Amino acid sequence: MSDETATAMYRARTDALTTDVGEGQPVVFAHGTLMDRTMFAPQLEALRDEYRAVAYDLRARTDRYAPGYDLWDLADDCDALLDGIGEDSAVIAGMSMGGFMGLRFALEYPERVDGLILIDSMATPHPEDERAEYEALVEPYEDTLEPMPREIAEGSTAELFGETTHEETPELVEAWVDRWATYPGRAVHYELNSWLGREDVTDRLSEIDVPVLIVHGEEDPSIAPAQAEPMLEELPDAEMELIPEAGHTSNLEGPDETNEAIRSFLDERF
């Protein structure tokens, strides 16, 4: 499937790729690596009474054979998605990879962005040693249509969930492992590689002149809060909310606190 065909899918098959609830100011949610649109169920439920909340599946969850693509391609998909839902612009909320995409979407399509919500994300690339580790992990699965071994799915939980969640809600972790264990290796390989080699966009953050909320789990093992904090200095209009006892999927691990932060931001600014 070419990039153009993949992007066109978001315009033509929007209903199949999204969960779309409520009416009002649109807020579009883009998930992180290994996740899917269902990770935003708590947020859609919390916003549906006053906002149009839309969560969508990014390429790796919609096409098991998706070839190489990058974050700018995913930004084009988001542009097509807005066409598909009939909105000129929206608040873009992205978790991790979804946040990497959201920053680039705001740079590429500034007229379509009312605001940004960055959940457990950052503007800088991953350090070289971490990139090498991730590359080595998925490299063997480039041409594998069978699911990756379950032990790799289980190993990924250390990166995606915080210590408290592992101890207190292991069933949440296990439910996602069951889901990841069905993903074709090839899909995960290309998903990871869409952002591994990304450039640093810190020096362009001053161009993003819309309200930005940074939400971050205090226990995030993948991207420490300190890696997100520099964005506060560079973005013209940004605030940050730390979610206690939550890891890399802070919106799932601390849904009440995350919903309160997002709802307050939206109510005040939109």
Side-chain angles (χ1 to χ4, degrees), residues 67-84:
Y69 53 91
D70 63 17
L71 292 164
W72 298 98
D73 296 319
L74 295 181
D76 292 342
D77 294 349
C78 189
D79 174 60
L81 181 90
L82 287 185
D83 291 347

Side-chain angles (χ1 to χ4, degrees), residues 158-177:
E159 297 291 326
L160 280 125
F161 297 99
E163 203 174 307
T164 303
T165 301
H166 278 283
E167 287 171 9
E168 296 184 4
T169 48
E171 65 279 4
L172 174 67
V173 179
E174 199 57 30
W176 280 97
V177 170

Side-chain angles (χ1 to χ4, degrees), residues 109-121:
Y109 299 98
E111 72 288 350
R112 305 206 80 167
V113 180
D114 300 326
L116 278 181
I117 300 170
L118 303 171
I119 303 168
D120 297 283
S121 200

Side-chain angles (χ1 to χ4, degrees), residues 9 23 31 40 81 100-101 105 113 123 126 133 192 207 216 243 266:
M9 168 175 71
E23 293 176 8
H31 62 78
F40 297 114
L81 181 90
F100 307 156
M101 182 284 296
F105 183 74
V113 180
H126 276 68
E133 279 177 37
L192 209 72
E207 298 173 38
H216 217 96
I243 308 301
L266 293 172

Side-chain angles (χ1 to χ4, degrees), residues 25-244:
Q25 163 70 44
V27 186
V28 172
F29 289 89
H31 62 78
T33 304
L34 292 182
M35 308 307 284
D36 61 39
R37 71 186 196 237
T38 66
M39 77 170 302
F40 297 114
Q43 286 67 56
L44 268 55
E45 191 54 41
L47 298 179
R48 65 185 301 158
D49 60 334
E50 279 190 34
Y51 296 89
R52 183 181 187 186
V54 181
Y56 73 100
D57 283 334
L58 277 70
R59 251 185 232 200
R61 300 292 86 79
T62 60
D63 174 17
R64 61 186 295 177
Y65 309 111
Y69 53 91
D70 63 17
L71 292 164
W72 298 98
D73 296 319
L74 295 181
D76 292 342
D77 294 349
C78 189
D79 174 60
L81 181 90
L82 287 185
D83 291 347
I85 63 172
E87 297 285 0
D88 292 332
S89 60
V91 173
I92 306 297
M95 177 262 171
S96 192
M97 172 181 74
F100 307 156
M101 182 284 296
L103 287 170
R104 286 155 181 80
F105 183 74
L107 293 170
E108 190 73 10
Y109 299 98
E111 72 288 350
R112 305 206 80 167
V113 180
D114 300 326
L116 278 181
I117 300 170
L118 303 171
I119 303 168
D120 297 283
S121 200
M122 62 180 174
T124 51
H126 276 68
E128 194 60 49
D129 58 332
E130 288 181 28
R131 282 174 54 182
E133 279 177 37
Y134 284 129
E135 275 172 2
L137 187 68
V138 298
E139 196 270 331
Y141 303 102
E142 183 173 0
D143 296 312
T144 305
L145 296 180
E146 295 301 309
M148 290 199 307
R150 188 178 177 89
E151 55 266 27
I152 292 197
E154 288 170 346
S156 301
T157 64
E159 297 291 326
L160 280 125
F161 297 99
E163 203 174 307
T164 303
T165 301
H166 278 283
E167 287 171 9
E168 296 184 4
T169 48
E171 65 279 4
L172 174 67
V173 179
E174 199 57 30
W176 280 97
V177 170
D178 289 344
R179 197 168 282 221
W180 300 339
T182 69
Y183 294 170
R186 180 182 172 93
V188 177
H189 170 87
Y190 284 119
E191 180 174 39
L192 209 72
N193 278 287
S194 71
W195 53 261
L196 261 188
R198 71 189 183 282
E199 70 279 50
D200 192 340
V201 293
T202 304
D203 62 352
R204 294 193 62 191
L205 295 183
S206 60
E207 298 173 38
I208 302 176
D209 198 9
V210 294
V212 180
L213 172 66
I214 299 166
V215 177
H216 217 96
E218 283 187 349
E219 298 179 3
D220 188 336
S222 292
I223 298 175
Q227 290 173 281
E229 281 163 6
M231 292 191 290
L232 289 169
E233 299 292 315
E234 304 296 331
L235 289 160
D237 181 5
E239 58 191 275
M240 185 168 183
E241 200 71 44
L242 288 174
I243 308 301

